[in-house]
């Protein structure tokens, strides 16, 4: 499959490398087509790896991942362009973390709105599925790194898109359960878990942990 | 032990009944001393149960629980009075859920502040320990209702108070692990998990679930 990943940070790189390892073609997208991190990643990931602008990456992918910083996501998607986004599934992994006021970061959007909703509102023809934003990127693509089961949440307005994403999360990454929280407004809760996640990382002194819903 | 519980709703009643069952004396506190729910609860819980005003309940307890609605907590504590609160441990179970704008509720405080912090700031001589606010009240006092282990979080500025609360959570209610998230600012993360919790309750069609941190 051809996959476009918006964002060249550790999250985009980790997801991209895993997808290439699974046999997919991946193009990382950045603001410019000479992004150093993207060039280096492309070198290291063989013939199926490429990089380009946000627009090129969005045009390339049949499925898209938003791995940009949450506070830069809308600008990145605007650069990607509606013509390259419309009709596609965007797996929104981003969190609206605002580091501008010091540590710990606060959320730039929350409570009555969310980044997932803002993206969906701005790009009505894009099938936004919020997922994977509640854990470290190594666990996103390799949940078996933890010995016992844990959960990934998902939400979005398009039922078919969610079914497809749930299947990909299981087949690509090995997730056993994907909890569908309903429409895209559930992105509020998924993003608002970040302050607890950050605090837990400090307490446990590792990013390698995740939430499990025990019933 | 003598315990004062501020609030006469299902949370306060459930915690109160459990504590009486364990041999403690409990006084439920309300705005007035003729609160119908408190009168009924006292009748049903025998000789060790009593009720009164917030001030009477706070004066009665060696340990206090804040089980009022989050949006009414500061007013309730003001009625309880510094003279009855100072030097005591307050286990803050409340969540600042604002139902005034319809369902689902939003948080009246979040992101850069929390109810736990506001209480601690207003009552500097009170030892506020935020705990138990991230699950249904039946699970608060009976975690073994779920077959496999799950977690309770705790935070606060006073280390001795937290040690005492952790011990009580284990001995009274049977919690196996209490995750200490640090100072009272961690109440932000603990309270901001509520939108996800509410969504999960809708998805799972039960309030009987909880978070486990898998490492």
């Amino acid at each position: 499959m051809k996959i476009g990943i918006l964002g060249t940070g550790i999250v985009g790189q980790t997801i991209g490398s895993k997808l290439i390892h699974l046999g997919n073609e991946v193009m990382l997208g950045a603001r410019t087509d000479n992004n150093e991190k993207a060039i280096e990643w492309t070198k290291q990931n063989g013939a199926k790896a490429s990089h380009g602008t946000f627009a090129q990456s969005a045009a390339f992918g049949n499925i898209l991942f938003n791995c940009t910083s949450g506070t830069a996501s809308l600008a990145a998607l605007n650069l990607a362009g509606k013509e390259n986004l419309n009709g596609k599934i965007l797996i929104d992994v981003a969190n609206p973390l605002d580091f501008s006021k010091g540590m710990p970061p606060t959320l730039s959007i929350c409570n009555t709105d969310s980044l997932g909703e803002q993206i969906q509102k701005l790009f009505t023809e894009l099938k936004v599925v919020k997922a994977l934003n509640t854990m470290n990127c190594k666990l996103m693509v390799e949940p078996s790194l933890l010995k016992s089961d844990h959960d990934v949440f998902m939400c979005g307005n398009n039922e078919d898109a969610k079914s497809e994403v749930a299947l990909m999360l299981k087949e690509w990454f090995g997730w056993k359960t994907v909890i569908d929280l309903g429409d895209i407004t559930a992105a509020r809760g998924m993003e608002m878990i970040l302050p607890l996640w950050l605090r837990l990382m400090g307490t446990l002194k590792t990013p390698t942990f995740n939430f499990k819903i025990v019933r």
Side-chain angles (χ1 to χ4, degrees), chain A residues 18 138-150 173-176 208:
Chain A
K18 176 72 177 186
K138 282 185 190 166
L139 288 176
M140 292 178 191
V141 300
E142 203 84 47
S144 63
L145 283 175
L146 298 178
K147 295 274 156 58
S148 53
D149 284 354
H150 47 107
F173 304 147
W175 284 97
K176 289 183 185 165
T208 313

Side-chain angles (χ1 to χ4, degrees), chain A residues 27-130:
Chain A
M27 186 187 286
L28 286 200
R31 197 167 287 271
T32 60
D33 64 3
N34 61 355
N35 178 290
E36 278 183 28
K37 286 187 286 182
I39 292 170
E40 185 56 33
W41 177 87
T42 302
K43 267 190 210 160
Q44 287 176 359
N45 282 274
K48 293 190 167 173
S50 61
H51 65 93
T53 62
F54 287 130
Q56 287 167 332
S57 169
F60 176 84
N62 304 118
I63 297 275
L64 309 176
F65 280 83
N66 175 29
C67 300
T68 59
S69 309
T71 50
S73 292
L74 294 177
L77 287 162
N78 274 322
L79 287 170
K82 281 188 182 166
E83 64 282 13
N84 299 317
L85 297 171
N86 282 354
K88 292 181 182 172
I89 290 174
L90 177 82
I91 302 176
D92 176 27
V93 180
N95 283 305
L97 293 173
D98 177 2
F99 293 86
S100 72
K101 291 162 198 124
M103 292 295 286
T106 53
L107 297 179
S108 63
I109 316 160
C110 72
N111 202 20
T112 55
D113 199 0
S114 62
L115 178 61
E117 286 167 89
Q118 289 198 352
I119 293 173
Q120 187 61 84
K121 235 173 267 171
L122 203 57
F123 300 94
T124 50
E125 302 301 309
L126 184 65
K127 297 165 190 166
V128 180
V129 179
K130 188 103 207 171

